[in-house]
Amino acid sequence: MVAERFTVDLNKPLVFQVGHLGEEYQEWIHQPIVCVEGPRFFESDFWEFLTRTVWWAIPTIWLPVVCYVLSISASKGLTFPQIGLIVAFGVLTWTLLEYTLHRFLFHIQTKSYWANTAHYLLHGCHHKHPQDGLRLVFPPTATAILLVPLWKLLHLLATPATAPALLGGILFGYVMYDITHYYLHHGQPKEPTFKHLKKYHLNHHFRIQDKGYGITSSLWDKVFGTLPGIKAAGKKS
């Protein structure tokens, strides 16, 4: 007896449906639906609200935090050039985190019910509905939760004066990442750098999903050998 294939009903909340796809889940999320209007995730209006974030909330909420933590380092005696160098290192650290999370966590292969469900909430929804403008940036509530262990870790690894500036650099890199990511999906860049980044990122969505993990830069794709080649792109197109 052949088991009946599960079909997702796009007219109903999706989160607790996608887990039933099992091994077919990975194929399903990489068949994108290009529509600005996103799907409903939950029956509950409260949980649905927490999944939706306007892009401008990210700089509005987090840039003041960046300024605050940098002021802590300044109050502890660091000069502005020193803070600038630490922030630059923090931004570079973020780009590596961005690459690592995208490659090894966001693109983890899943097939069980709860693993599929968790992955859909984390990143699968973005590949299924890449133009959903309210689910392109990371919800501030989740970011705030993750900042707590990061803050504690940095205080273990760095001095009391440098840890705040390092956090400021990482957080600033994250803000630039989220804003850039939104712009690459919804903007129409004319400047060559951003035109390249948009083409590079959309190539990841619509051609070669297992290459091109960098969003703000292709640096770490070059370092770790995940830069999509011209020939490979041609075969996938």
Side-chain angles (χ1 to χ4, degrees):
M1 182 176 180
V2 179
E4 185 177 348
R5 184 175 182 178
F6 182 80
T7 301
V8 173
D9 186 346
L10 295 174
N11 295 314
K12 295 179 180 179
L14 295 185
V15 167
F16 294 119
Q17 292 190 68
V18 299
H20 294 295
L21 288 167
E23 294 181 352
E24 296 178 342
Y25 167 74
Q26 293 293 330
E27 180 183 357
W28 181 78
I29 60 169
H30 290 125
Q31 296 171 348
I33 298 173
V34 182
C35 179
V36 176
E37 184 68 26
R40 188 171 181 91
F41 276 19
F42 296 99
E43 289 280 2
S44 165
D45 289 337
F46 172 74
W47 291 110
E48 185 71 9
F49 168 76
L50 291 181
T51 70
R52 296 172 178 264
T53 307
V54 291
W55 73 267
W56 47 262
I58 303 305
T60 301
I61 293 171
W62 297 120
L63 287 183
V65 177
V66 171
C67 293
Y68 172 70
V69 294
L70 295 185
S71 72
I72 295 176
S73 287
S75 70
K76 292 182 180 296
L78 290 188
T79 65
F80 286 113
Q82 289 173 325
I83 291 173
L85 285 174
I86 296 169
V87 168
F89 180 73
V91 171
L92 181 64
T93 301
W94 166 258
T95 63
L96 180 58
L97 279 172
E98 169 194 315
Y99 173 88
T100 304
L101 290 171
H102 193 185
R103 179 179 179 182
F104 296 107
L105 180 61
F106 294 177
H107 280 267
I108 191 172
Q109 298 294 304
T110 61
K111 59 181 179 181
S112 70
Y113 176 84
W114 288 111
N116 286 350
T117 302
H119 181 268
Y120 181 77
L121 280 168
L122 184 66
H123 193 63
C125 60
H126 178 53
H127 272 267
K128 187 64 180 178
H129 293 86
Q131 295 303 105
D132 184 348
L134 292 176
R135 294 193 179 97
L136 262 172
V137 296
F138 205 59
T141 303
T143 303
I145 293 171
L146 293 174
L147 280 177
V148 174
L150 177 61
W151 175 254
K152 293 182 180 298
L153 176 63
L154 292 177
H155 272 276
L156 289 175
L157 298 176
T159 67
T162 57
L166 187 55
L167 177 67
I170 293 172
L171 189 56
F172 181 72
Y174 157 70
V175 171
M176 293 301 99
Y177 152 78
D178 247 354
I179 293 173
T180 300
H181 190 200
Y182 186 91
Y183 181 64
L184 297 183
H185 278 272
H186 291 278
Q188 299 298 327
K190 299 187 184 303
E191 198 275 328
T193 299
F194 284 101
K195 284 182 71 173
H196 168 73
L197 283 176
K198 182 179 178 78
K199 182 178 180 180
Y200 189 80
H201 185 56
L202 294 186
N203 185 63
H204 168 75
H205 272 281
F206 297 104
R207 285 183 170 181
I208 314 171
Q209 289 87 10
D210 61 350
K211 302 284 185 185
Y213 296 106
I215 308 296
T216 55
S217 168
S218 59
L219 169 64
W220 299 110
D221 283 307
K222 295 174 182 175
V223 172
F224 294 113
T226 53
L227 194 71
I230 297 174
K231 291 183 178 180
K235 292 177 181 179
K236 290 275 186 176
S237 62

